[in-house]
Amino acid sequence: MNQQPPRSVKNAQDQRVRRTYRSLIRALEELLCESMEEEISVKQICERAGIQRTTFYQHFRDMQDFSDWYILQKQNEFRSIASATISAEDERSAFLEVANSTMRFLKQNEKLVRCLMNKRLNGKHLVELYVNTCVDEMKAKLKKLPDADEASGRTPIAFLAEFYVGGMISAFRWWIVNDRPVTEEEFMRYLRLRVERMNKQ
């Protein structure tokens, strides 16, 4: 009969797994920032992380499997930030909640975001994946608005989410690429002013 390992052994195993994952993530992010190549190999990841390839394959089938897992971790990180905000009352507050979540995510991952502006990971454009995650969060917030259909002027929520997020991401890209030509406070004020004026027209 199979028996569960003692709690102390299980905790030690869990800690080793978490350490392995942290090492792999750190190795991937360093390689993404350093390498001009689109494809990163299991061999490169393992050498940088200081782990055996057999250890890697205990957790992931191949590099694609690891890439998909990593992307999911980053998407979930953003979603956890976005879901922590107060429920929006109108389009303006929904947009500002997503913008504030984006700013918090950027501050936690600034170096990585700068590295990944125009990068792909095993064929997937990372900024595009982030945009899609933002759009999903924006749609979720808009759908929760009181009388969502009426409040949107019967504009499809999918269209509104793409419209708001598209402008926001372009603004963030401008801010990052140009090395923050205005302060964070000014940048967020500009976003607030734009969306307030749009909603008044």
Side-chain angles (χ1 to χ4, degrees):
M1 182 174 68
N2 290 333
Q3 293 183 338
Q4 290 292 322
R7 182 177 296 274
S8 60
V9 174
K10 188 173 187 301
N11 287 343
Q13 290 172 340
D14 290 344
Q15 288 174 8
R16 280 197 296 274
V17 169
R18 285 194 292 270
R19 268 198 309 273
T20 297
Y21 287 168
R22 283 197 300 269
S23 296
L24 289 169
I25 287 172
R26 185 169 56 250
L28 175 61
E29 292 178 349
E30 287 174 0
L31 288 166
L32 283 169
C33 287
E34 294 170 11
S35 175
M36 298 301 293
E37 299 175 13
E38 183 175 312
E39 298 291 329
I40 294 172
S41 68
V42 171
K43 181 173 182 288
Q44 288 173 297
I45 290 283
C46 291
E47 285 178 353
R48 180 61 65 95
I51 68 169
Q52 299 295 319
R53 293 174 71 177
T54 51
T55 302
F56 178 94
Y57 287 116
Q58 286 172 5
H59 301 280
F60 303 101
R61 291 189 304 275
D62 51 27
M63 189 60 201
Q64 188 66 59
D65 188 34
F66 173 59
S67 300
D68 291 343
W69 175 83
Y70 170 78
I71 288 166
L72 183 61
Q73 302 314 299
K74 286 299 174 184
Q75 288 175 321
N76 287 340
E77 182 182 335
F78 175 76
R79 288 189 180 110
S80 69
I81 294 171
S83 64
T85 54
I86 299 170
S87 180
E89 298 177 356
D90 51 33
E91 279 180 38
R92 171 185 169 278
S93 57
F95 170 79
L96 292 175
E97 283 184 8
V98 174
N100 284 323
S101 298
T102 299
M103 180 60 79
R104 285 196 293 277
F105 181 84
L106 172 63
K107 288 166 76 172
Q108 291 174 16
N109 298 274
E110 184 165 1
K111 182 182 175 185
L112 181 64
V113 170
R114 286 180 178 275
C115 292
L116 303 185
M117 291 295 289
N118 298 301
K119 287 267 183 123
R120 292 175 180 269
L121 177 57
N122 288 349
K124 296 181 178 179
H125 198 289
L126 293 167
V127 170
E128 188 63 30
L129 288 168
Y130 175 70
V131 171
N132 293 341
T133 306
C134 282
V135 168
D136 289 344
E137 288 302 313
M138 187 70 186
K139 283 194 286 193
K141 289 180 183 296
L142 290 171
K143 285 176 183 176
K144 290 179 183 176
L145 295 180
D147 302 318
D149 189 44
E150 194 68 35
S152 68
R154 303 199 182 279
T155 304
I157 282 175
F159 173 87
L160 285 174
E162 294 281 356
F163 175 79
Y164 281 118
V165 171
M168 180 194 73
I169 293 296
S170 291
F172 270 101
R173 189 194 301 269
W174 167 83
W175 192 57
I176 295 166
V177 167
N178 290 284
D179 294 321
R180 299 185 174 205
V182 297
T183 66
E184 177 186 327
E185 292 73 21
E186 287 175 307
F187 177 80
M188 296 305 291
R189 184 172 67 85
Y190 294 157
L191 288 181
R192 283 195 301 274
L193 285 172
R194 289 301 95 204
V195 74
E196 284 170 2
R197 291 188 180 184
M198 276 195 299
N199 285 325
K200 285 179 182 176
Q201 292 173 355

